[in-house]
């Protein structure tokens, strides 16, 4: 038996996981998921590598082969493709209302918190002839956040001096400021903030927030960060007391 190389993808389930998908998708939703995954897998990206880049492409091709129609298949009347329900990471986190246009109509859809790319949202009796309509979900990057599977990703500018000397780093997240300690001489490219990803929903677990640190000369220093936190807590009324 031939040993599997590290670039191969053994199954559709593995291919879907590499693209951050939870179930079969096609069309625009599949293309968008591939673009997000291949961008994160690039060797020059934080956490990316040449092996991951090649496996992502292999996963994309495997899904395409599995979902491609047979050459002789030609249904006379193909059903209309439902529009993609494109939502932002904040909509996926908290829920919200999104507008879609199925078959020329305009509908305002209430989105529950916790949707992932590749899932489907059912609209009862909204399809042709009163049938249920299933909209494929796509979580598009926005507001400095992107989503892959259960997890969220963002970047945070950091002073090069703080990376060299270590110290307390405060990250402004969607859930408010969060603190992390950097060790002198150790420069992590990415931090994981537990439990700040997409909320648990059904069989899907609570995700995490991954923060990529980007050295930036204009980023606040450790001293400036301390001053910001001091002024946030010590208001004039509190100092007078």
């Amino acid at each position: 038996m031939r040993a599997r190389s590290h670039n191969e993808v053994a199954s559709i389930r593995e291919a879907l996981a590499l693209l951050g998908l939870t179930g079969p998708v096609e069309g625009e939703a599949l293309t968008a998921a591939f673009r997000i995954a291949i961008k994160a897998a690039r060797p020059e990206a934080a956490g990316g590598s040449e092996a991951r880049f090649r496996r992502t492409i292999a996963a994309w091709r495997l899904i395409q082969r599995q979902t491609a129609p047979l050459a002789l298949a030609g249904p006379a009347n193909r059903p209309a493709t439902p529009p993609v329900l494109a939502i932002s990471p904040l909509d996926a986190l908290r829920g919200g209302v999104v507008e879609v246009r199925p078959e020329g109509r305009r509908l305002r859809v209430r989105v529950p918190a916790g949707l992932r790319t590749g899932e489907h949202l059912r609209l009862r009796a909204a399809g042709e002839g009163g049938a249920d309509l299933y909209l494929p979900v796509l979580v598009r990057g926005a507001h400095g956040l992107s989503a892959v599977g259960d997890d969220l990703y963002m970047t945070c500018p950091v002073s090069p001096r703080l990376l060299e000397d270590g110290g307390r780093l405060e990250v402004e997240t969607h859930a408010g400021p969060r603190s992390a300690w950097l060790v002198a001489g150790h420069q992590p490219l990415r931090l994981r903030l537990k439990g700040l990803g997409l909320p648990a929903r059904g069989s899907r677990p609570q995700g995490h927030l991954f923060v990529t640190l980007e050295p930036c000369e204009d980023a606040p220093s450790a001293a400036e960060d301390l001053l910001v936190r001091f002024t946030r807590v010590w208001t004039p009324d509190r100092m007078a007391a």
Side-chain angles (χ1 to χ4, degrees):
M1 181 180 293
R2 184 173 63 88
R4 194 184 83 170
S5 72
H6 67 278
N7 288 329
E8 292 178 343
V9 179
S11 65
I12 282 293
R13 176 173 293 184
E14 183 178 351
L16 292 171
L18 282 168
L19 299 189
L21 299 172
T22 59
V25 296
E26 58 185 20
E28 184 179 348
L30 175 60
T31 301
F34 170 71
R35 288 175 178 171
I36 294 173
I38 200 67
K39 182 177 179 181
R42 290 183 179 278
E44 65 271 16
S49 66
E50 183 177 351
R52 181 180 172 188
F53 185 80
R54 291 179 177 176
R55 293 185 71 233
T56 302
I57 294 176
W60 160 256
R61 290 174 176 170
L62 177 60
I63 295 173
Q64 282 188 315
R65 288 196 300 270
Q66 293 292 328
T67 58
L70 297 176
L72 297 180
N77 296 314
R78 299 187 62 181
T81 302
V84 172
L85 181 63
I87 61 176
S88 71
L90 291 181
D91 290 330
L93 273 166
R94 305 165 184 167
V97 177
V98 179
E99 184 176 288
V100 293
R101 295 175 178 269
E103 302 175 359
R105 296 172 294 158
R106 185 171 69 176
L107 299 177
R108 290 177 61 82
V109 179
R110 183 167 297 278
V111 177
L115 284 180
R116 271 77 163 165
T117 293
E119 295 182 336
H120 289 76
L121 183 67
R122 184 180 70 169
L123 302 184
R124 294 182 178 178
E128 184 177 355
D132 291 346
L133 182 63
Y134 292 84
L135 301 181
V137 176
L138 171 63
V139 184
R140 284 179 172 162
H143 312 294
L145 288 172
S146 60
V148 178
D150 305 320
D151 303 319
L152 295 176
Y153 294 80
M154 64 171 286
T155 59
C156 176
V158 182
S159 166
R161 183 65 178 272
L162 181 59
L163 287 174
E164 294 175 4
D165 298 342
R168 187 187 184 110
L169 171 66
E170 189 167 275
V171 182
E172 290 293 338
T173 74
H174 60 84
R178 293 293 186 274
S179 295
W181 282 96
L182 303 182
V183 179
H186 177 66
Q187 299 185 11
L189 296 177
R190 180 175 289 173
L191 301 175
R192 184 182 70 167
L193 301 182
K194 295 183 179 180
L196 293 186
L198 296 181
R201 181 172 182 269
S203 62
R204 300 305 299 265
Q206 175 77 42
H208 308 299
L209 173 63
F210 290 88
V211 182
T212 300
L213 305 181
E214 291 189 344
C216 178
E217 295 291 346
D218 297 331
S221 65
E224 291 172 323
D225 181 62
L226 285 172
L227 179 60
V228 170
R229 288 191 288 113
F230 176 83
T231 55
R232 182 186 298 143
V233 175
W234 289 94
T235 62
D237 292 339
R238 186 167 183 179
M239 294 180 67

